[in-house]
Structure formats: structure tokens, C-alpha cells
């Protein structure tokens, strides 16, 4: 099923459409950049953010602290991505 974006209802406050995450930069709380969302992979327990840097992040509240689609940014908790 496909709809033009303009026909989609606005998501509730604090919610988003998965396709809106593609292309968003991701950084750790504190500012360390981790990459850009390349894809959202479906999982059995939770979806996973795949970044262009190769980092995989679980799409769960403990990891993803904030998703700001209009501000073009995702902030995640430290410790979920290996240090560079």
C-alpha cells in the first residue's frame, strides 16, 4: 500500500513514520556523531537503525533518547555504539 506523503495523517506527538528516519544524523548524548540512518531493519523484538557508518542501534527507549524529525536529529544514549 502506498499513499502520497501529503495524504498521510500527521503522527501523534512524539511519534513518527519509519521512513522519516532515513537520512537523519545520529549522535550520542554529548554530541559524538555516529552516522546517518541508512535503513530501519525490522526485528523480532524491536526494529534496528542501520547507520551509514556500519553501526546498528536498537530502536528502543533505553537507546534512542530523542527523535527530532523537524530538527533533523536523533540522539542516543552512550554505550550502544563501539568507540571509533
Amino acid at each position: 500500500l502506498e499513499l502520497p506523503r501529503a495524504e498521510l495523517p500527521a503522527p501523534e506527538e512524539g511519534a513518527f513514520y519509519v521512513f522519516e528516519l532515513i537520512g537523519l544524523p545520529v549522535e550520542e548524548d554529548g554530541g559524538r556523531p555516529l552516522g546517518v540512518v541508512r535503513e530501519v531493519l525490522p526485528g523480532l523484538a524491536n526494529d534496528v537503525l542501520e547507520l551509514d557508518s556500519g553501526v546498528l542501534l536498537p530502536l528502543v527507549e533505553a537507546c534512542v533518547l530523542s527523535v527530532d524529525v523537524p530538527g533533523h536529529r536523533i540522539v542516543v544514549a552512550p554505550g550502544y555504539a563501539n568507540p571509533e
Side-chain angles (χ1 to χ4, degrees):
L1 177 65
E2 290 185 27
L3 294 172
R5 187 178 227 169
E7 290 184 26
L8 292 172
E12 295 178 18
E13 186 174 331
F16 49 83
Y17 288 106
V18 171
F19 72 84
E20 294 177 303
L21 304 181
I22 308 299
L24 290 183
V26 179
E27 63 184 52
E28 278 187 335
D29 190 23
R32 181 170 78 107
L34 299 177
V36 174
V37 177
R38 179 179 15 202
E39 192 169 347
V40 179
L41 305 171
L44 295 175
N46 54 267
D47 291 343
V48 175
L49 299 176
E50 178 185 24
L51 307 187
D52 62 351
S53 60
V55 172
L56 298 173
L57 299 166
L59 191 52
V60 296
E61 282 187 49
C63 176
V64 179
L65 302 178
S66 68
V67 175
D68 183 0
V69 174
H72 206 67
R73 180 173 92 137
I74 297 174
V75 177
V76 298
Y80 282 90
N82 292 331
E84 296 175 7

